[in-house]
Amino acid sequence: MDREKVIKAVEDLLDALGEDRTREGLKDTPRRVADAYAELLSGEGKTAEEHLTRTFASDGDMVVESDIYFSSVCEHHLMPFFGKIAIAYIPDGKVVGLSKLARTVEVFARRLQIQERLTRQIAEEIMRVLKPKGVFIACEAEHTCMTCRGVKKAGSKTVTYCALGEFDEKRRAEVISLLK
Ligand code: ZN
């Protein structure tokens, strides 16, 4: 991200919106917005390899980590969407520390996203690096581009799923029921 360019662009945006950007509340806004974007998009270009390669041997069955809270930025409106993700996987001899799953979510949430791709990228990365027998991701989010404008359905939720590898209907249903 080119911070100076973002600052300039936000100045131009405020001008285009007809605002007086020299007034008290706005004078540091371009800098604040640039810093916010730097943080919100800090996962851009990263992989979760460093988090998913620290594994422990385990011959256990399915692992489910639910209520992993995240926030991301919708690439269609540059507005936040946020919610929670559940990750379920069937280990093939190794498991990863639970906090590493949350870190994996961060890598993919901190970039311009759509919820469907976020869900799929997390599943694909876990398959690629941890190599479980199967993985299932459930993601529930509220999109501020939906709830603060347009149809204004306050509190409406969008749910996306992605299953890869060995993850049959019965197990998916089991994970989904855990989320209710
Ligand atoms: Zn949107």
Side-chain angles (χ1 to χ4, degrees):
M1 189 186 108
D2 183 333
R3 188 171 182 274
E4 291 312 310
K5 222 169 166 175
V6 174
I7 291 173
K8 179 76 178 62
V10 178
E11 287 171 359
D12 288 346
L13 176 63
L14 289 170
D15 287 344
L17 293 172
E19 292 287 342
D20 168 15
R21 62 180 164 79
T22 62
R23 73 178 165 85
E24 184 62 32
L26 290 180
K27 67 179 186 344
D28 288 328
T29 295
R31 184 187 52 75
R32 280 191 293 255
V33 172
D35 291 345
Y37 272 118
E39 187 180 336
L40 291 171
L41 306 183
S42 60
E44 210 79 65
K46 289 187 183 163
T47 74
E49 216 156 310
E50 57 170 313
H51 307 306
L52 294 174
T53 43
R54 293 186 187 187
T55 57
F56 311 95
S58 166
D59 48 12
D61 194 40
M62 183 167 69
V63 177
V64 185
E65 169 88 349
S66 65
D67 291 342
I68 304 171
Y69 288 85
F70 76 93
S71 64
S72 188
V73 181
C74 150
E75 69 182 12
H76 297 145
H77 299 90
L78 302 185
M79 289 176 77
F81 67 97
F82 55 89
K84 53 187 185 172
I85 287 180
I87 296 177
Y89 68 95
I90 303 164
D92 191 8
K94 54 185 183 176
V95 295
V96 74
L98 295 178
S99 70
K100 305 302 179 193
L101 295 175
R103 295 207 180 279
T104 299
V105 169
E106 281 290 283
V107 166
F108 295 99
R110 298 244 177 246
R111 52 179 80 177
L112 292 183
Q113 271 294 10
I114 60 171
Q115 187 179 334
E116 295 84 342
R117 189 170 65 224
L118 171 64
T119 309
R120 170 158 285 272
Q121 283 178 335
I122 294 165
E124 285 175 346
E125 187 75 341
I126 290 171
M127 282 307 272
R128 185 181 75 84
V129 185
L130 182 60
K131 299 183 171 58
K133 290 177 186 159
V135 66
F136 178 63
I137 311 291
C139 175
E140 182 188 83
E142 178 176 332
H143 292 249
T144 57
C145 64
M146 276 272 291
T147 55
C148 301
R149 56 166 289 284
V151 286
K152 288 201 184 71
K153 281 265 185 282
S156 73
K157 298 275 168 63
T158 305
V159 186
T160 49
Y161 301 109
C162 181
L164 296 175
E166 187 184 299
F167 220 103
D168 59 33
E169 285 294 332
K170 192 170 151 277
R171 278 193 195 271
R172 287 184 215 185
E174 202 178 310
V175 174
I176 292 167
S177 75
L178 283 174
L179 305 179
K180 299 271 156 71

